[in-house]
Amino acid sequence: MSLNERISKIIEYSRLTPSEFADEIDVQRSSISHITSGRNKPSLEFIIKIKSRFPELLWDWLVTGEGEMLKSPLPESEINEENTEEEKIKTTPLPDLFTMMKDDDEFGSDETETEAPKSSPGESFIPAKDKAQEKISDSQRLENSGDHILGQLLDNQQNKIKRIVLFYENGKFESFEP
């Protein structure tokens, strides 16, 4: 049996399509078709990728075609143990959403809120401001009285703007003249 035929047999053993097999061993899909058709011979890197993905294959069979394809099968006692474990897994039903609920009374109820953890002694305590006091402090007038502001407006009407200069953080500036 040629190396190309052995690789075809490995693809059959894997129960994958040639393109899935190529993806599985991380090679280009076209290389699989070239090798299985006999156009190209597989490289050592290609064979190593197959062996690393399928460690149950024997090196001697893969490289020379001598001996068995697979390592010796498991003893019957181990096979029976695996089958019973698989059967246990298959027969155990998964609970659904409704069987997990304890009572119908709990359906749709909100979760109870938990208390916030108390602050540790290392943290400083900042008293919360009273909402009414906060509104008053936000709405207080500036110290300047209305007469003073009116005086400034009249002074500004007499003074005319000659130039406005804007300075930017990056050191540039713009100058505007009316």
Side-chain angles (χ1 to χ4, degrees):
M1 178 183 297
S2 71
L3 185 57
N4 300 358
E5 291 172 332
R6 288 192 298 274
I7 291 175
S8 296
K9 191 167 182 174
I10 294 169
I11 293 171
E12 289 175 24
Y13 163 76
S14 70
R15 295 183 181 153
L16 299 172
T17 64
S19 58
E20 290 172 336
F21 184 79
D23 293 341
E24 190 71 28
I25 64 170
D26 195 29
V27 296
Q28 291 183 356
R29 293 178 178 183
S30 60
S31 64
I32 298 291
S33 66
H34 293 298
I35 289 170
T36 54
S37 68
R39 177 179 172 195
N40 295 345
K41 292 192 182 271
S43 66
L44 177 61
E45 181 183 355
F46 185 89
I47 294 172
I48 290 172
K49 286 183 178 187
I50 291 174
K51 177 64 176 153
S52 64
R53 173 54 187 90
F54 299 99
E56 65 272 15
L57 297 173
L58 289 173
W59 272 113
D60 289 340
W61 180 83
L62 185 58
V63 175
T64 63
E66 296 174 2
E68 295 294 319
M69 177 178 159
L70 300 174
K71 293 181 181 177
S72 62
L74 296 173
E76 286 188 29
S77 61
E78 290 183 28
I79 292 173
N80 290 338
E81 289 175 13
E82 286 181 9
N83 288 341
T84 56
E85 287 178 19
E86 288 178 12
E87 288 173 8
K88 288 178 186 176
I89 292 171
K90 289 179 184 176
T91 57
T92 307
L94 296 174
D96 62 3
L97 176 66
F98 300 106
T99 58
M100 293 174 63
M101 293 177 51
K102 295 177 185 173
D103 287 328
D104 287 338
D105 298 336
E106 291 180 15
F107 184 75
S109 64
D110 292 334
E111 293 182 15
T112 58
E113 294 183 19
T114 59
E115 288 186 30
K118 295 182 181 180
S119 62
S120 64
E123 296 178 5
S124 61
F125 177 73
I126 300 173
K129 290 185 178 181
D130 183 23
K131 292 285 183 186
Q133 184 182 8
E134 195 173 310
K135 286 182 182 177
I136 292 172
S137 66
D138 286 345
S139 64
Q140 290 177 351
R141 293 181 181 256
L142 298 174
E143 291 183 19
N144 293 337
S145 65
D147 295 335
H148 181 66
I149 293 173
L150 196 58
Q152 281 182 343
L153 286 173
L154 292 174
D155 288 341
N156 286 342
Q157 285 179 353
Q158 293 172 358
N159 298 326
K160 293 188 178 179
I161 297 173
K162 182 177 180 180
R163 183 184 317 164
I164 299 172
V165 181
L166 300 173
F167 294 96
Y168 298 101
E169 288 179 348
N170 63 2
K172 295 183 179 181
F173 67 93
E174 289 183 70
S175 178
F176 298 98
E177 294 182 27

